[in-house]
């Protein structure tokens, strides 16, 4: 018998709660990044790409699959649909690469108290996402579905542009808004936040799958998903973006829609936390009565 099931199990309702909690919290944070201005330092633009520490923390403390996919869905719902716009097929690339990166980072952590594990996983998750995004942008230019040439007639210049952008996003957003907050939150929240949400903390040194986190299955599935993401983005840029739309007046009312999206995400997150805490309280009272 595998010891994994006896050490850490989640009910279907708990998995759904993790999904919705990650969706609402990351969707809420994604809206705040829209309000933060970027800083231009010569040719380099410093901007807050995302608050990746939120999905990273949830992936490391809970089940990485539901937290990762929930965060990606939250970005689509609160960062696209609530703002009256949707990129259609083009959104699939962002959804796949972000989910895969956060899921991989969550799998890397077997001991949430181990700061070294947490730190390496956090920066690796951001690097994986930015690497996939950069490679896809480069391929789009080389294939010819997108024009981006810093040097006239030299398509290879996009490699330099994307390389600088990759380093900027990893070293700036990756360190300030992923690595440092995750290093602080995960060891401190481990064993404390789970009971508040009615869940049992997973045991330290527990892995989500047998063997090493970098399994052949993960590599094969990740490669196939990356290929699907690339294909979807190429089709989108070629004019085959199914489901793309923008509501009339969405751009002119973007500021108001951002605050409406923030309020909606905050309400959903508060409702989920309240439901989980009530569930935990009922469980505790039932245990006391049984005793």
């Amino acid at each position: 018998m595998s010891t994994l099931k006896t050490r850490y199990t989640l009910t279907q309702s708990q998995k759904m709660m993790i999904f919705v909690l990650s969706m609402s919290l990351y969707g809420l944070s994604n809206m705040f990044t829209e309000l933060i201005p970027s800083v231009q330092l010569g040719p380099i633009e410093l901007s807050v790409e995302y608050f990746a520490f939120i999905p990273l923390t949830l992936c490391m403390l809970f089940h990485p699959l539901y937290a990762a996919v929930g965060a990606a869905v939250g970005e689509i719902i609160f960062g696209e649909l609530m703002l009256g716009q949707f990129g259609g097929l083009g959104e699939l690339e962002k959804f796949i690469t972000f989910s895969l990166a956060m899921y991989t980072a969550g799998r890397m952590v077997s001991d949430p108290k181990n700061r070294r594990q947490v730190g390496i996983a956090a920066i690796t998750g951001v690097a994986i996402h930015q690497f996939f995004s950069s490679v896809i942008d480069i391929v789009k230019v080389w294939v010819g579905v997108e024009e981006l040439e810093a040097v006239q007639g030299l398509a290879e210049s996009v490699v330099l542009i994307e390389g600088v952008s990759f380093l900027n996003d990893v070293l700036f957003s990756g360190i300030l808004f992923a690595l440092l907050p995750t290093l602080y939150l995960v060891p401190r929240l481990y064993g404390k936040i789970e009971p508040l949400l009615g869940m049992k903390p997973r045991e330290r040194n527990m892995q989500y799958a047998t063997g090493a986190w970098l399994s052949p299955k993960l590599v094969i599935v990740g490669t196939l998903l990356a290929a699907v993401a690339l294909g979807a983005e190429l089709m989108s840029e070629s004019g085959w973006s199914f489901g793309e739309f923008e509501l009339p007046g969405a751009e002119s009312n973007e500021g108001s829609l951002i605050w409406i999206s923030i309020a909606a995400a905050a309400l959903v997150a508060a409702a989920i936390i309240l439901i989980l805490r009530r569930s935990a309280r009922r469980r505790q009272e039932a245990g006391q009565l049984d005793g």
Side-chain angles (χ1 to χ4, degrees):
M1 290 291 291
S2 172
T3 59
L4 180 61
K5 294 182 178 179
T6 59
R7 289 191 295 180
Y8 185 70
T9 57
L10 290 175
T11 64
Q12 288 299 322
S13 62
Q14 288 173 335
K15 292 175 183 177
M16 180 58 66
M17 290 297 181
I18 292 172
F19 175 88
V20 178
L21 183 63
S22 180
M23 177 188 74
S24 56
L25 288 179
Y26 185 64
L28 178 63
S29 72
N30 203 47
M31 288 297 91
F32 280 110
T33 60
E34 297 288 336
L35 303 175
I36 301 175
S38 60
V39 178
Q40 193 75 31
L41 298 177
I44 299 176
E45 181 182 13
L46 298 179
S47 60
V48 181
E49 180 74 11
Y50 43 36
F51 290 135
F53 70 90
I54 293 177
L56 285 170
T57 299
L58 294 175
C59 285
M60 294 175 190
L61 291 177
F62 302 106
H63 200 291
L65 178 60
Y66 303 98
V69 175
V73 171
E75 183 175 2
I76 292 176
I77 292 177
F78 298 105
E80 300 286 340
L81 296 177
M82 290 288 292
L83 299 185
Q85 57 188 0
F86 182 62
L89 188 62
E91 297 297 329
L92 188 59
E93 177 262 331
K94 190 189 307 181
F95 176 87
I96 290 177
T97 56
F98 185 76
S99 298
L100 182 60
M102 297 299 105
Y103 171 73
T104 303
R107 277 183 57 117
M108 291 177 67
V109 177
S110 59
D111 183 4
K113 286 286 188 179
N114 189 322
R115 291 181 177 273
R116 183 177 179 181
Q117 274 190 21
V118 171
I120 293 175
I123 202 67
T124 300
V126 175
I128 290 174
H129 178 234
Q130 295 302 326
F131 173 77
F132 280 134
S133 299
S134 298
V135 169
I136 290 174
D137 287 341
I138 291 171
V139 172
K140 285 192 299 182
V141 175
W142 283 355
V143 170
V145 297
E146 184 175 86
E147 294 184 5
L148 179 63
E149 294 185 2
V151 179
Q152 187 67 28
L154 184 60
E156 288 80 1
S157 61
V158 70
V159 177
L160 178 61
I161 296 172
E162 291 297 333
V164 172
S165 177
F166 170 82
L167 291 176
N168 172 51
D169 290 334
V170 172
L171 298 180
F172 181 66
S173 292
I175 292 177
L176 293 180
F177 303 106
L179 174 62
L180 296 179
T182 306
L183 270 177
Y184 177 82
L185 290 172
V186 172
R188 283 168 172 75
L189 291 179
Y190 173 71
K192 299 181 179 68
I193 188 173
E194 297 91 344
L196 295 177
L197 300 181
M199 301 176 189
K200 182 180 179 181
R202 65 185 180 93
E203 291 186 10
R204 295 171 64 179
N205 298 318
M206 188 211 79
Q207 295 179 337
Y208 291 101
T210 57
W213 66 268
L214 188 59
S215 63
K217 181 180 178 181
L218 178 62
V219 173
I220 294 172
V221 173
T223 303
L224 292 176
L225 288 175
V228 172
L230 174 60
E233 187 65 14
L234 291 177
M235 290 180 63
S236 174
E237 293 292 336
S238 301
W240 292 79
S241 184
F242 304 105
E244 183 177 357
F245 70 87
E246 182 173 347
L247 297 179
E251 186 174 352
S252 59
N253 297 304
E254 184 178 7
S256 300
L257 291 173
I258 286 176
W259 286 108
I260 292 174
S261 182
I262 288 175
L267 286 174
V268 173
I272 291 299
I273 293 174
L274 182 61
I275 291 172
L276 288 171
R277 294 198 64 176
R278 285 182 175 177
S279 176
R281 192 178 299 115
R282 285 197 299 268
R283 233 182 244 109
Q284 184 179 10
E285 290 173 354
Q288 291 175 350
L289 290 175
D290 292 342

